[in-house]
Amino acid sequence: MEALNDREVATAIWILIFVAWAFSKKEVRSAFGNFLDAFAKKVILVSFSLLVINTLASVWVLNQIGLWDSAQTKNTFLWFFGVAVVTFFRINKIADDRHYFKNAIKDNLKIIVFIESLVTFYTFPLAVELVFVPFMAFIGALLAVSQTDEKYILVQKVLNKIIEIIGISIIIYTVYRLVVNFNDFAQFQTILDFSVPIALSVFLLPLIYMFHVYMMYEGVFIRMQFSIKDEKLRTYAKRSAIIKYKLDLSTLRRWADALNRENIVASSDIDKLHKEIECLEAEEKNLPVVPYDLGWSPYKISSVLETAGLKVGHYKKLYEDEWFASSPYLEIGDGVLPNNVAYYLEGNRFAVTQLKLKMNINEQEQSAEAHSILCDLASTLHLHALESELTQGFKNAIMEGGNIEGQVKTKLVSVSTERWKNNRGYDVGFCISNI
């Protein structure tokens, strides 16, 4: 097994000091006991055991193809506790990130992984590392705290800049060492140092995906307790969802979301909802034509502002014949509470009858940029929805925060501004609707 470098030795020393200090506190010992009790639960033990088995199997495969040897034991050990275990305990957050797996694969292939590997290849002398390691840990802790509240946004920016400067400095130092001692770097063992963590991370993805699928279904099943009171009916719903959707988690989410708004009293209600979701998914692929007089196709009009950052979610039923979709807020500016804008669709089962952009001005000193962005968004939406340019009168109302209303073809177009009672901000709405 390869010896620890100075950075790893310094890290180990500080960890031992911290652990010794922490366990001298009675409350920490008590909390650790609670952690062990929680870890001893069957679901955690089984999951963690699968993590260990997956790592051992990955090491065996890499060893068989010549990408792992005993000198990689240290790197594998560090990867397991630095990547695999951390990922395992972040499963809840990963389950909420619909692009996690795509991004994870991309991140493992990016050149930045190569640079990070270079940075760990060359380290400072132990005396420097003993100062550098706790300093970076302190900066990291401050950064984590600053990300918990928007009021610390300025602190977060300063800390990110400090980390950026330190990172650039280390890379410069590493490149210098690489040029001076290239022969030390250009060895087969170094190639393994680069490739093994990346390969282990790739091999980890299927297991993480399995955990992701399990937790997605588990979350859906827990919510069923509130929407379906009858236990036998709930069991039928669970079984039918697994058979119907399998690994199609996007459609599962859509069905589960609809389930929470329905009055489920019989198995036929569950089957009916499955068919309804199936029809909606088919419509999104085939894009049915909606007559202009009735409104707009929700599947066509929802995507017109996507390139501007306003991606609308699924078009879904709210009540009997009231359907709705919306985008997340797009933040504008860098204030403590940034200005934002969102895109809304309202209508019935077959057509959107109202398109709306709503901008909230929380930071009035940065309102000019927000008004300009809203004007651009409104112009784009008007062009796609009505096939005509937005007139200057409407643009002026948006830019000045005014009110205007008028008929364009057979639709009603309006701009409305409302000042908030606390006088700390206002909102501006742009709307196109059936008359």
Side-chain angles (χ1 to χ4, degrees), residues 4-23:
L4 298 176
N5 61 37
D6 286 341
R7 185 165 300 157
E8 292 158 349
V9 170
T11 302
I13 290 173
W14 281 110
I15 288 176
L16 289 173
I17 292 174
F18 175 78
V19 170
W21 170 82
F23 275 85

Side-chain angles (χ1 to χ4, degrees), residues 146-261:
S146 70
Q147 292 172 341
T148 62
D149 198 312
E150 292 181 343
K151 67 183 180 181
Y152 300 133
I153 186 70
L154 294 179
V155 176
Q156 183 179 338
K157 289 182 178 181
V158 172
L159 292 173
N160 280 326
K161 183 60 66 174
I162 291 174
I163 292 175
E164 180 181 327
I165 293 172
I166 293 173
I168 292 173
S169 301
I170 294 176
I171 291 174
I172 292 173
Y173 170 75
T174 300
V175 171
Y176 165 75
R177 291 289 302 274
L178 177 60
V179 172
V180 174
N181 302 303
F182 183 76
N183 290 335
D184 292 340
F185 173 80
Q187 298 176 2
F188 178 71
Q189 200 62 44
T190 303
I191 297 176
L192 293 186
D193 289 341
F194 290 155
S195 58
V196 166
I198 298 173
L200 289 173
S201 296
V202 172
F203 281 129
L204 179 65
L205 290 178
L207 180 64
I208 295 301
Y209 184 73
M210 184 181 74
F211 289 153
H212 172 62
V213 171
Y214 171 80
M215 294 196 68
M216 183 61 63
Y217 273 98
E218 186 70 13
V220 169
F221 293 164
I222 289 174
R223 292 197 298 274
M224 278 186 189
Q225 298 176 9
F226 303 98
S227 56
I228 305 177
K229 302 300 181 182
D230 184 85
E231 186 175 350
K232 290 184 178 179
L233 192 58
R234 195 162 59 243
T235 300
Y236 176 80
K238 292 178 181 179
R239 184 170 62 250
S240 67
I242 294 173
I243 294 173
K244 183 74 175 178
Y245 303 115
K246 302 178 181 66
L247 299 180
D248 187 358
L249 301 184
S250 177
T251 309
L252 172 67
R253 290 190 197 97
R254 189 172 192 172
W255 176 79
D257 187 43
L259 185 69
N260 291 330
R261 295 189 299 273

Side-chain angles (χ1 to χ4, degrees), residues 20-284:
W21 170 82
F23 275 85
S24 68
K25 307 293 182 180
K26 182 178 179 180
E27 57 271 22
V28 173
R29 295 195 297 272
S30 177
F32 185 72
N34 294 334
F35 169 78
L36 291 179
D37 290 340
F39 192 82
K41 294 185 181 299
K42 182 178 179 181
V43 65
I44 300 295
L45 284 177
V46 170
S47 301
F48 195 79
S49 297
L50 289 174
L51 190 65
V52 173
I53 292 171
N54 181 84
T55 302
L56 293 176
S58 301
V59 166
W60 182 83
V61 171
L62 292 175
N63 179 258
Q64 294 301 306
I65 61 177
L67 287 180
W68 193 96
D69 57 29
S70 58
Q72 291 300 313
T73 302
K74 179 197 72 175
N75 284 340
T76 303
F77 182 84
L78 294 174
W79 172 88
F80 181 80
F81 287 98
V83 176
V85 172
V86 170
T87 302
F88 172 74
F89 284 108
R90 291 183 66 250
I91 288 293
N92 282 329
K93 292 184 178 180
I94 292 172
D96 293 332
D97 184 356
R98 300 185 183 187
H99 304 292
Y100 171 78
F101 301 100
K102 179 178 70 174
N103 292 337
I105 294 173
K106 288 168 59 179
D107 289 343
N108 276 284
L109 298 177
K110 284 180 180 178
I111 192 65
I112 192 64
V113 176
F114 176 76
I115 295 175
E116 289 174 352
S117 298
L118 279 175
V119 169
T120 59
F121 183 75
Y122 289 117
T123 60
F124 301 115
L126 180 59
V128 177
E129 293 291 349
L130 283 171
V131 176
F132 177 74
V133 168
F135 173 75
M136 290 303 297
F138 178 69
I139 294 294
L142 288 179
L143 182 61
V145 172
S146 70
Q147 292 172 341
T148 62
D149 198 312
E150 292 181 343
K151 67 183 180 181
Y152 300 133
I153 186 70
L154 294 179
V155 176
Q156 183 179 338
K157 289 182 178 181
V158 172
L159 292 173
N160 280 326
K161 183 60 66 174
I162 291 174
I163 292 175
E164 180 181 327
I165 293 172
I166 293 173
I168 292 173
S169 301
I170 294 176
I171 291 174
I172 292 173
Y173 170 75
T174 300
V175 171
Y176 165 75
R177 291 289 302 274
L178 177 60
V179 172
V180 174
N181 302 303
F182 183 76
N183 290 335
D184 292 340
F185 173 80
Q187 298 176 2
F188 178 71
Q189 200 62 44
T190 303
I191 297 176
L192 293 186
D193 289 341
F194 290 155
S195 58
V196 166
I198 298 173
L200 289 173
S201 296
V202 172
F203 281 129
L204 179 65
L205 290 178
L207 180 64
I208 295 301
Y209 184 73
M210 184 181 74
F211 289 153
H212 172 62
V213 171
Y214 171 80
M215 294 196 68
M216 183 61 63
Y217 273 98
E218 186 70 13
V220 169
F221 293 164
I222 289 174
R223 292 197 298 274
M224 278 186 189
Q225 298 176 9
F226 303 98
S227 56
I228 305 177
K229 302 300 181 182
D230 184 85
E231 186 175 350
K232 290 184 178 179
L233 192 58
R234 195 162 59 243
T235 300
Y236 176 80
K238 292 178 181 179
R239 184 170 62 250
S240 67
I242 294 173
I243 294 173
K244 183 74 175 178
Y245 303 115
K246 302 178 181 66
L247 299 180
D248 187 358
L249 301 184
S250 177
T251 309
L252 172 67
R253 290 190 197 97
R254 189 172 192 172
W255 176 79
D257 187 43
L259 185 69
N260 291 330
R261 295 189 299 273
E262 297 290 337
N263 182 26
I264 305 297
V265 296
S267 59
S268 58
D269 295 327
I270 296 172
D271 295 334
K272 180 181 177 182
L273 190 58
H274 283 312
K275 291 180 180 178
E276 183 175 311
I277 297 299
E278 185 178 345
C279 289
L280 290 173
E281 291 281 316
E283 286 180 11
E284 286 193 3

Side-chain angles (χ1 to χ4, degrees), residues 415-426:
V415 176
S416 59
T417 303
E418 182 179 355
R419 298 281 169 176
W420 299 342
K421 292 181 179 180
N422 59 15
N423 202 32
R424 293 183 178 178
Y426 57 94

Side-chain angles (χ1 to χ4, degrees), residues 296-317:
W296 302 269
S297 166
Y299 312 113
K300 292 182 180 179
I301 203 67
S302 64
S303 61
V304 299
L305 300 178
E306 190 169 319
T307 56
L310 294 176
K311 184 175 182 179
V312 176
H314 289 304
Y315 192 59
K316 55 194 176 185
K317 181 169 70 174

